[in-house]
Amino acid sequence: MSTDDGALIFSEIGFLPSPDAGTNQLATTVKAGAFVHPQRAPAWDSQAGGANAGGRINFGFYAVGEQDLFQRAEKKITAFVRGGCAPADRNVVDWYIDAGFNFAGFVPSRPDDVAGIAFARSNFSGNCSRYEQSVNGNAAFDSELIIEASYRAQIFPWWTLQPDFQYILTPDGASDCRDVFVIGLRTTVNF
């Protein structure tokens, strides 16, 4: 990155009311934001024609929502949804959405563990797909869908382990890619 790349500016606004203690009120989080990159980005169509100069300011929008659906003692179910969009003529992904559920405290004697299930969809820009086909000879691409299940185990108050299982349909959105199954393990240590 150089100083010629310009600044990347993010802004966000949120609504995060705190439930009153001792009530059955469930927590809600709603956020919306945007980014702006003032450095002009050339459109995919103009790049296909060999022009890499000029272009337009790049920007995008996103929103996040999270809602507790159920809470009794240590048990809690939370739903979430996140999404965003950016102009298709100058971005690889023009829109994205994910959603899912987290289940906390449902395993006896493990109140801090969280199981989750989610899906995510990235929609790749048709403009970018046409560019990749015409300039680089790549296959067409459209969208990628991920189905995910995970379990975060609280091993010690300062350490968690989280195995993660993902099934990815059309990786990279490429029509010539086979679906894949991915297994991962994340660990977090807090000091």
Side-chain angles (χ1 to χ4, degrees):
M1 186 167 153
S2 73
T3 56
D4 295 336
D5 290 336
L8 179 60
I9 304 162
F10 282 89
S11 60
E12 182 176 271
I13 188 167
F15 176 68
L16 299 86
S18 297
D20 295 330
T23 68
N24 288 333
Q25 197 175 11
L26 300 171
T28 301
T29 300
V30 178
K31 298 178 191 176
F35 75 85
V36 175
H37 187 211
Q39 180 70 25
R40 296 194 177 275
W44 292 112
D45 295 339
S46 66
Q47 290 182 61
N52 286 320
R56 298 178 179 168
I57 292 174
N58 203 3
F59 61 92
F61 302 97
Y62 67 91
V64 176
E66 189 172 299
Q67 176 66 53
D68 288 347
L69 303 175
F70 169 85
Q71 185 166 8
R72 295 289 182 275
E74 297 171 336
K75 297 178 180 177
K76 181 165 72 168
I77 300 173
T78 303
F80 65 89
V81 63
R82 299 176 287 212
C85 62
D89 67 343
R90 63 202 98 143
N91 290 284
V92 175
V93 174
D94 58 357
W95 64 266
Y96 169 88
I97 189 166
D98 67 32
F101 298 92
N102 288 320
F103 305 87
F106 282 87
V107 176
S109 76
R110 302 207 49 88
D112 297 323
D113 288 6
V114 179
I117 186 166
F119 82 90
R121 181 164 193 246
S122 297
N123 192 72
F124 291 89
S125 159
N127 300 54
C128 181
S129 179
R130 287 188 295 279
Y131 169 83
E132 287 293 331
Q133 290 173 73
S134 66
V135 173
N136 297 322
N138 293 335
F141 56 90
D142 179 34
S143 64
E144 174 183 87
L145 179 65
I146 301 173
I147 301 167
E148 178 181 28
S150 69
Y151 186 88
R152 189 183 72 210
Q154 189 79 46
I155 308 302
F156 295 109
W158 49 270
W159 180 32
T160 63
L161 282 176
Q162 184 173 356
D164 183 72
F165 307 94
Q166 297 181 7
Y167 185 68
I168 305 173
L169 292 86
T170 59
D172 287 339
S175 58
D176 61 347
C177 284
R178 295 184 320 189
D179 298 346
V180 296
F181 186 68
V182 178
I183 299 173
L185 179 65
R186 178 180 183 172
T187 184
T188 304
V189 176
N190 292 316
F191 296 98

